[in-house]
């Protein structure tokens, strides 16, 4: 025993003396997106994004929702395999008598019972339930299937018995089906590209081999709109026209973006409005949207976003980004004459009822917990004032156990209030209760307000199907959300970690310009991915970002936009204009940044890939920002872009300069000491308190605080005390061996 303790102490010392400089792994990889398979017959609860369901007796309910792909034609023979663990704890007398009866588990689909399973033994249980085809037809407006479990263990109310049932996530559905051609009606957009089903939806954007800046602008607009309309739920990949292969043409939906004469594949498609000699004959200056079934895969579609020239293609992309498409004389063709990019703000949206937001009155019935979710939108750049509130209008049953029943209001996963029910609220047909909406709980873009009702009867052993347990939430409940400005400028965004602010400050992305390297597919691809992420974050009603090539950035545009610059520094003319202002400039004709501002300057092989993120105020308008996404290789650029896309990596982006590799993010704020001899030149920037908690210290030698100066002394004292403890342990161990045992 003493030897074990001694070994443990020595092992602990070794661990303390190990260096802690290992960089953290990063979540997003630079590999191309692998599109998911969406025609499997069998799928588990894991694929439904569900964890284990646990229910305790005597009564409990659990519900889960899922969608089936729109291109499935269901066949007979569906089954549900439930993998469960049942635990029944009985009194000794009952166990000896052999009269164990746990209860039943009722399984319903869309409200229709499909099985009542007896639970009369403890241990692992597997049950296979046949599902009639009719019950899988969804009744909900959102098209999802509702699966519910009801545990009834009334025996526990009569004897000393406890019940615990766990339904494991390895449980699975088997649903035979045929694949049918999806509907190509543009009025249903974003379906069938986005179906909100059990499988992750995916799309591949096809761009010309040599796109114009306007064609790239159309592609980033499409990506932003698609992710905004799908709730950032899609996988989006990018391929050039010549990069289309039989495999990647068939494994995903395709979105072809570009002018009619720039996409040779259009000549292979049977379109409602065909291409002849590089033109849509009857389109003129109109934007063109078309959707057809893919000739390479019967369960996929091809969406064409095009026009006869740059401006027509941009109009088509902007129209698509709204998510609402009006077909022409056929359902899969739309022609866009003009796009008004003005955003109309309805002042009445400050004070709206749930009915005005499109929600009907909701009734929570039966024993257990049920939740209704409501969504509302807050424009980026604005926030609610302290007067904001949610006025909830309810009525309830008198058969409830008020001490165990109530309503709970949660905003964006943050509890903001609760309502206690009583005979007083039951005696009134309509009760109005105001719940304050804290500004700190509101976020820009889409907000989620959850109202959860927990209903319990007066008697613990009452039938869970007992009628009369209800709370009604009326549609005249009000959301009062007065808005105030939330100005953002460069002083408020001191770090790269503040991204995506200010790029989503205007939800329509109209103040963003991507500056891209010409003849560099990777820079185009990362711009499209960043635009998709920004669109999902800002959730504008329309998207109008801008794209320029780095050798053709108009003078008038430089002071208008926040800029995202992507590519190799030495290959972009625009970089010459800002290089001297960068936190870490690049030597002439070099793609490797000068890292002299880092606290430790290492000798690095210039052939080793590295990515660089740099932030600086625009020299043409200090109210705007420039972020560069650069690298000395394609892999380096991908690492830099991924660091912005990966929310888990952003907290490491402390300061205005970061070196990114596959294993590390090393960041620093050069503004703290770049001009230390000229205090007046230092920006008035407040650096977060966690700036010292990085892998690489961001405080220069000679300016460290007194606390950091004491660190070596503290380390020496700590090591000394550790060795004292080891010495005492060794001495005690030796003494015990020399002392004879007493009997």
């Amino acid at each position: 025993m003493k030897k074990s303790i001694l070994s443990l102490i020595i092992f602990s010392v070794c661990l303390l003396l190990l260096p802690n400089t290992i960089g953290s792994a990063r979540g997003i990889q630079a590999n191309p997106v692998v599109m998911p398979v969406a025609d499997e017959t069998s799928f588990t609860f894991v694929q439904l994004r569900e964890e284990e369901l646990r229910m305790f007796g005597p009564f409990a309910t659990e519900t889960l929702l899922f969608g089936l792909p729109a291109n499935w034609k269901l066949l007979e023979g569906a089954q549900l395999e439930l993998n469960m663990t049942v635990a029944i704890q009985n009194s000794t007398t009952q166990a000896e008598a052999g009269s164990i009866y746990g209860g039943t588990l009722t399984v319903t689909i869309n409200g229709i019972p499909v099985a009542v399973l007896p639970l009369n033994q403890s241990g692992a249980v597997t049950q296979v339930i046949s599902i009639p085809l009719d019950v899988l037809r969804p009744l909900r407006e959102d098209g999802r299937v509702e699966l519910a479990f009801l545990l009834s263990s009334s025996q526990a109310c009569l004897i000393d018995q406890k019940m615990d049932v766990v339904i494991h996530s390895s449980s699975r559905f088997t649903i035979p089906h045929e694949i049918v051609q999806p509907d190509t009606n543009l009025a249903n957009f974003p379906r069938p590209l986005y179906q909100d089903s059990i499988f992750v939806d995916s799309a591949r954007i096809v761009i010309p081999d040599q796109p114009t800046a306007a064609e790239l602008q159309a592609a980033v607009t499409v990506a932003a709109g698609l992710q905004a309309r799908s709730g950032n739920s899609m996988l989006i990949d990018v391929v050039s026209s010549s990069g289309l292969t039989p495999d990647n043409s068939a494994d995903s939906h395709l979105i072809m973006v570009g002018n009619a004469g720039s996409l040779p594949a259009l000549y292979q498609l049977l379109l409602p409005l065909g291409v002849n000699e590089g033109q849509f004959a009857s389109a003129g200056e109109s934007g063109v949207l078309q959707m057809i079934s893919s000739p390479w895969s019967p369960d996929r579609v091809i969406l064409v976003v095009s026009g006869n020239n740059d401006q027509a293609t941009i109009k088509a992309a902007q129209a698509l980004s709204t998510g609402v498409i009006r077909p022409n004389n056929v359902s899969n063709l739309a022609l866009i004459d003009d796009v008004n990019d003005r955003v109309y703000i309805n002042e009445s949206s400050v004070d709206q009822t749930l009915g005005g937001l499109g929600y009907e009155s909701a009734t929570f019935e039966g024993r257990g917990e049920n939740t209704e979710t409501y969504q509302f939108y807050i424009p980026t750049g604005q926030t609610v004032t302290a007067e904001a509130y949610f006025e909830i209008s309810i009525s309830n049953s008198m058969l409830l156990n008020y001490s165990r029943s109530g309503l709970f209001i949660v905003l964006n996963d943050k509890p903001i209030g609760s309502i206690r029910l009583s005979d007083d609220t039951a005696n009134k047909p309509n009760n109005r209760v105001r719940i304050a909406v804290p500004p700190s709980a509101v976020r820009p873009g889409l907000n989620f307000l959850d109202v959860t009702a927990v209903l319990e009867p007066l008697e613990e052993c009452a039938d869970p199907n007992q009628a009369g347990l209800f709370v009604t939430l009326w549609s005249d409940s009000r959301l009062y959300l007065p808005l105030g400005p939330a100005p953002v400028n460069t002083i408020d965004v001191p770090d790269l970690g503040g991204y995506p602010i200010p790029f989503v400050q205007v939800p329509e992305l109209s103040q963003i310009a991507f500056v891209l390297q010409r003849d560099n597919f990777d820079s185009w691809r990362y711009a499209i991915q960043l635009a998709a992420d920004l669109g999902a974050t800002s959730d504008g009603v329309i998207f109008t970002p801008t794209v320029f090539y780095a050798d053709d950035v108009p003078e008038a545009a430089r002071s208008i936009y926040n800029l995202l610059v992507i590519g190799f520094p030495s290959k972009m003319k625009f970089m010459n204009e800002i290089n001297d202002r960068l936190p870490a400039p690049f030597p002439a004709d070099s793609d490797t940044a000068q890292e002299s501002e880092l606290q430790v300057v290492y000798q690095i092989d210039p052939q080793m890939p590295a990515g660089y993120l740099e932030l600086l105020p625009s020299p043409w308008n200090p109210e705007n920002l420039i972020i560069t996404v650069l690298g000395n290789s394609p892999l380096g650029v991908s690492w830099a872009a991924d660091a912005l896309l990966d929310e888990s990596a952003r907290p490491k982006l402390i300061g205005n300069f970061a070196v990114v590799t596959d294993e590390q993010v090393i960041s620093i704020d050069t503004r703290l000491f770049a001009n230390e001899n000229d205090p007046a030149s230092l920006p008035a920037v407040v650096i977060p308190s966690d700036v010292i908690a990085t892998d690489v210290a961001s405080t220069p030698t000679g300016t460290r605080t007194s606390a950091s100066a004491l660190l070596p002394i503290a380390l020496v004292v700590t090591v000394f005390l550790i060795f004292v403890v080891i010495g005492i342990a060794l001495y005690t161990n030796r003494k015990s061996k020399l002392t004879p045992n007493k009997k």
Side-chain angles (χ1 to χ4, degrees):
M1 178 66 180
K2 293 180 180 178
K3 289 182 179 180
S4 299
I5 295 174
L6 181 60
S7 300
L8 180 60
I9 294 173
I10 295 173
F11 177 70
S12 301
V13 172
C14 294
L15 286 179
L16 288 171
L17 296 178
L18 283 173
N20 61 349
T21 57
I22 299 175
S24 58
R26 303 180 56 248
I28 296 180
Q29 302 299 319
N31 298 327
V33 175
V34 178
M35 298 302 180
V37 177
D39 58 356
E40 298 174 357
T41 298
S42 181
F43 51 91
T44 66
F45 283 15
V46 173
Q47 290 170 275
L48 301 182
R49 305 166 185 87
E50 286 291 337
E51 299 178 352
E52 291 186 340
L53 304 176
R54 190 165 190 177
M55 296 181 287
F56 297 95
F59 302 106
T61 59
E62 289 286 350
T63 302
L64 59 90
L65 301 170
F66 61 93
L68 295 175
N71 59 344
W72 279 16
K73 178 183 178 181
L74 304 186
L75 305 175
E76 296 287 351
Q79 291 182 335
L80 170 60
E81 178 187 297
L82 284 182
N83 297 322
M84 304 180 292
T85 298
V86 179
I88 305 173
Q89 182 178 352
N90 305 93
S91 64
T92 303
T93 303
Q94 184 187 11
E96 291 175 352
S99 57
I100 297 177
Y101 177 74
T104 60
L105 181 69
T106 301
V107 183
T108 68
I109 296 179
N110 293 324
I112 301 174
V114 294
V116 179
L117 307 176
L119 305 175
N120 50 24
Q121 63 180 2
S122 295
V125 178
T126 297
Q127 293 277 4
V128 178
I129 303 169
S130 296
I131 303 174
L133 185 60
D134 289 344
V135 305
L136 286 172
R137 294 191 174 91
L139 303 177
R140 295 172 56 94
E141 290 184 2
D142 60 11
R144 290 189 292 176
V145 176
E146 180 180 288
L147 173 66
F149 301 98
L150 173 61
L151 172 65
S152 177
S153 179
S154 56
Q155 190 81 355
C157 295
L158 305 175
I159 59 176
D160 183 14
Q161 177 175 287
K162 296 181 180 179
M163 166 70 74
D164 185 2
V165 176
V166 179
I167 300 177
H168 298 295
S169 57
S170 60
S171 300
R172 68 173 55 243
F173 276 99
T174 299
I175 302 181
H177 61 273
E178 293 177 349
I179 299 296
V180 297
Q181 288 191 342
D183 186 3
T184 58
N185 189 340
L186 288 168
N188 297 328
F189 182 82
R191 286 179 175 266
L193 281 77
Y194 172 65
Q195 300 182 20
D196 191 23
S197 72
I198 54 177
F199 301 108
V200 177
D201 295 296
S202 62
R204 181 169 281 113
I205 294 178
V206 183
I207 59 176
D209 289 338
Q210 296 295 328
T212 64
E215 288 174 316
L216 288 177
Q217 179 173 321
V220 300
T221 301
V222 167
L226 193 58
Q227 286 295 55
R229 307 310 156 215
S230 66
N232 203 24
S233 298
M234 294 192 65
L235 289 177
I236 295 180
D237 196 15
V238 187
V239 67
S240 65
S241 182
S242 62
L244 274 178
T245 65
D247 288 338
N248 64 22
S249 297
D251 68 359
S252 178
H253 300 299
L254 299 181
I255 306 175
M256 297 188 173
V257 184
N259 299 344
S262 301
L263 296 169
L266 295 182
Y267 290 94
Q268 305 175 38
L269 305 178
L270 187 60
L271 298 168
L273 185 61
V275 179
N276 184 23
E277 297 182 354
Q279 296 280 302
F280 296 108
S282 59
E285 299 294 316
S286 298
V288 178
L289 293 173
Q290 305 186 75
M291 186 187 297
I292 62 170
S293 297
S294 172
W296 301 295
S297 178
D299 60 331
R300 309 290 186 180
V301 298
I302 296 177
L303 175 63
V304 176
V305 184
S306 187
N308 288 335
N309 52 49
D310 285 345
Q311 292 308 310
T313 299
I314 289 175
K315 283 190 288 189
Q318 291 177 348
L320 183 83
S321 75
T322 67
V324 180
I325 303 174
R326 184 179 180 183
N328 195 264
N329 56 348
V330 291
S331 64
N332 60 342
L333 169 67
L335 298 176
I336 299 94
D337 285 340
D338 198 8
V339 174
N340 189 341
D341 59 5
R342 291 196 302 271
V343 178
Y344 299 92
I345 299 176
N346 184 1
E347 294 297 332
S348 65
S349 63
V350 169
D351 188 358
Q352 283 205 62
T353 65
L354 295 183
L357 292 172
Y359 298 101
E360 298 180 352
S361 297
T363 299
F364 305 93
E365 293 183 285
R367 186 174 190 157
E369 179 179 311
N370 290 283
T371 299
E372 289 287 339
T373 300
Y374 305 95
Q375 300 178 11
F376 62 90
Y377 181 79
I378 297 295
T380 304
Q382 293 187 299
T383 185
V384 300
T385 66
E387 289 75 31
Y389 60 80
F390 175 40
E391 185 178 79
I392 189 169
S393 174
I394 58 170
S395 58
N396 64 272
S397 165
M398 295 185 68
L399 302 180
L400 296 169
N401 182 338
Y402 297 133
S403 63
R404 300 181 60 193
S405 303
L407 294 180
F408 304 90
I409 293 85
V410 176
L411 178 58
N412 297 324
D413 297 325
K414 298 180 180 66
I416 62 172
S418 61
I419 299 175
R420 182 181 177 87
L421 305 175
S422 66
D423 282 341
D424 289 339
T425 59
N427 285 325
K428 296 178 182 178
N430 188 295
N431 301 272
R432 307 191 78 87
V433 181
R434 288 188 178 181
I435 305 294
V437 175
S440 58
V442 177
R443 62 192 183 197
L446 208 57
N447 289 256
F448 297 88
L449 180 69
D450 296 326
V451 179
T452 298
V454 177
L455 307 181
E456 292 293 340
L458 288 170
E459 295 294 333
E460 172 68 20
C461 292
D463 186 341
N465 295 314
Q466 170 185 333
L469 300 182
F470 72 87
V471 170
T472 298
L473 173 61
W474 300 105
S475 60
D476 62 350
S477 300
R478 294 170 55 219
L479 270 169
Y480 179 64
L481 303 171
L483 301 177
V488 174
N489 55 44
T490 55
I491 301 302
D492 298 318
V493 191
D495 295 332
L496 287 161
Y499 179 89
I501 300 294
F503 294 92
V504 292
Q505 186 69 5
V506 177
E508 293 72 40
L509 308 184
S510 59
Q511 292 186 357
I512 297 177
F514 293 87
V515 179
L516 307 180
Q517 180 183 338
R518 195 182 292 272
D519 299 323
N520 186 330
F521 172 79
D522 287 329
S523 74
W524 310 336
R525 177 170 175 255
Y526 300 129
I528 292 171
Q529 291 177 346
L530 287 167
D533 183 68
L534 291 171
T537 303
S538 65
D539 196 33
V541 296
I542 188 174
F543 292 102
T544 57
T546 301
V547 171
F548 300 115
Y549 277 127
D551 57 2
D552 188 19
V553 182
E555 290 289 338
R558 302 181 184 205
S559 61
I560 299 175
Y561 299 104
N562 294 292
L563 303 179
L564 275 167
V565 186
I566 308 172
F568 299 148
S570 66
K571 305 297 184 183
M572 292 189 288
K573 179 181 177 181
F574 181 79
M575 287 298 299
N576 295 333
E577 302 180 39
I578 63 172
N579 189 54
D580 292 341
R581 297 176 180 269
L582 291 174
F586 293 82
D589 300 322
S590 174
D591 291 325
T592 302
Q594 295 176 347
E595 300 181 7
S596 57
E597 297 292 355
L598 296 179
Q599 182 140 46
V600 178
V601 181
Y602 291 94
Q603 185 180 93
I604 302 296
D605 184 350
Q607 301 302 316
M608 294 294 291
Y612 306 101
L613 292 171
E614 307 202 36
L615 176 148
L616 67 156
S618 170
W620 301 280
N621 182 352
E623 294 299 316
N624 291 337
L625 285 180
I626 300 175
I627 288 183
T628 64
V629 184
L630 309 172
N632 62 1
S633 66
L635 194 55
V637 178
S638 74
W639 287 336
D642 289 345
L644 288 182
L645 289 167
D646 185 2
E647 291 186 11
S648 65
R650 288 179 199 162
K652 303 171 189 174
L653 301 177
I654 296 173
N656 60 350
F657 172 55
V659 181
V660 187
T661 66
D662 189 34
E663 299 175 346
Q664 285 184 316
V665 175
I666 302 175
S667 59
I668 194 170
D669 198 322
T670 64
R671 296 166 295 190
L672 292 178
F673 50 90
N675 299 310
E676 57 187 3
N677 295 326
D678 182 10
S681 65
L682 289 174
V685 176
V686 178
I687 301 302
S689 58
D690 61 353
V691 71
I692 62 174
T694 59
D695 292 338
V696 177
S698 58
T699 307
T701 304
T703 63
R704 297 186 179 185
T705 62
S706 57
S708 62
L710 293 175
L711 183 59
I713 299 175
L715 182 60
V716 171
V717 172
T718 302
V719 174
F720 173 75
L721 292 176
I722 290 172
F723 279 103
V724 168
V725 172
I726 294 174
I728 293 173
L730 290 171
Y731 175 76
T732 304
N733 186 48
R734 179 178 177 83
K735 184 177 179 180
S736 63
K737 290 181 178 180
L738 296 176
T739 303
N741 295 329
K742 293 181 181 181
K743 298 192 177 180

